[in-house]
Amino acid sequence: MAKPLLQVALDHSDLKGAIKAAVSVGEEVDVIEAGTVCLLQVGSELVEVLRNLFPDKIIVADTKCADAGGTVAKNNAVRGADWMTCICSATIPTMKAALKAIKEERGERGEIQVELYGDWTYEQAQLWLDAGINQAIYHQSRDALLAGETWGEKDLNKVKKLIEMGFKVSVTGGLNTDTLKLFEGVDVFTFIAGRGITEADNPAAAVKAFKAKIDKYWK
């Protein structure tokens, strides 16, 4: 079992703030995410800046694409995005078009990730696999966490089921170093942390703390 990757999500509303956060931890993490809100503010320019700063890192465009998959994927891939997210409610043709476009630009490095929000089924998940998409992101949304929901056994069981189906599953949503213990021994692909890293007093130290826990639980 490979150790999970660590991804930083740049959940900022402005380009300057996102770049400042990226520079503070970008060399230490495995994956750098251009966050949804900042992409909506400045477009794929954020992806281009990140690619120029970190030419060897995996860059994700967290577009949560729901339509025009081929166009959105191409726009971000030409700027340097390796992976792009589609919302789980997007149609299969949208996801297929996005996958085709990102692979045309980024080759085998290019992948689509399905963001799991709201209601979705394992039957739908099988259709994503059949379409050639094998990355899924299991979420606790920020709004749900603010409403009092917490990580627990129900989440763990869903993650395990998706892995059994053949997905590379990333996990995100209010993660901290204590949360990682819940997933000990589970073949998680990537842990995605945003404010837990970027809003820490010392972001670089926060990354080291996350990586130390990953090293502890996935030997």
Side-chain angles (χ1 to χ4, degrees):
M1 181 186 300
K3 287 183 181 179
L5 303 175
L6 181 61
Q7 175 174 325
V8 64
L10 304 175
D11 295 325
H12 297 72
S13 298
D14 65 295
L15 183 62
K16 183 178 178 181
I19 297 307
K20 181 180 178 181
V23 169
S24 70
V25 298
E27 295 295 345
E28 307 301 323
V29 298
D30 303 297
V31 184
I32 304 171
E33 174 193 320
T36 309
V37 172
C38 199
L39 284 174
L40 289 170
Q41 294 285 346
V42 303
S44 55
E45 178 185 357
L46 174 58
V47 173
E48 185 171 15
V49 174
L50 293 174
R51 175 52 67 207
N52 288 333
L53 286 171
F54 305 102
D56 299 322
K57 294 288 183 177
I58 297 170
I59 305 294
V60 182
D62 187 18
T63 61
K64 297 180 175 63
C65 181
D67 198 8
T71 300
V72 177
K74 181 175 181 178
N75 288 347
N76 283 279
V78 296
R79 296 287 188 107
D82 301 301
W83 302 347
M84 190 189 83
T85 64
C86 285
I87 195 73
C88 59
S89 57
T91 65
I92 296 298
T94 291
M95 293 184 186
K96 283 184 173 180
L99 182 63
K100 181 175 182 290
I102 205 164
K103 284 194 175 297
E104 284 176 351
E105 294 293 335
R106 305 300 294 173
E108 289 305 309
R109 191 177 172 105
E111 295 194 38
I112 294 299
Q113 301 173 295
V114 181
E115 291 253 23
L116 304 178
Y117 278 105
D119 295 327
W120 55 273
T121 68
Y122 295 113
E123 288 76 18
Q124 286 176 298
Q126 186 58 55
L127 294 177
W128 305 329
L129 283 172
D130 294 343
I133 296 168
N134 66 352
Q135 281 207 51
I137 301 175
Y138 186 85
H139 255 277
Q140 281 275 28
S141 76
R142 185 164 183 259
D143 292 336
L145 291 166
L146 289 173
E149 293 189 25
T150 58
W151 287 94
E153 197 70 24
K154 63 179 177 59
D155 304 298
L156 188 61
N157 290 336
K158 289 179 180 179
V159 169
K160 287 179 176 178
K161 171 67 174 177
L162 289 164
I163 293 170
E164 289 170 3
M165 291 179 69
F167 283 100
K168 295 184 288 187
V169 180
S170 298
V171 173
T172 189
L175 293 181
N176 56 50
T177 53
D178 293 332
T179 316
L180 301 191
K181 179 70 170 66
L182 175 67
F183 296 94
E184 182 178 4
V186 178
D187 194 13
V188 173
F189 182 49
T190 306
F191 285 111
I192 306 170
R195 294 170 183 84
I197 290 176
T198 61
E199 294 186 1
D201 292 337
N202 186 332
V207 169
K208 290 180 180 178
F210 268 95
K211 288 207 159 187
K213 291 290 187 178
I214 290 172
D215 288 341
K216 177 180 179 180
Y217 298 133
W218 286 267
K219 296 181 180 179

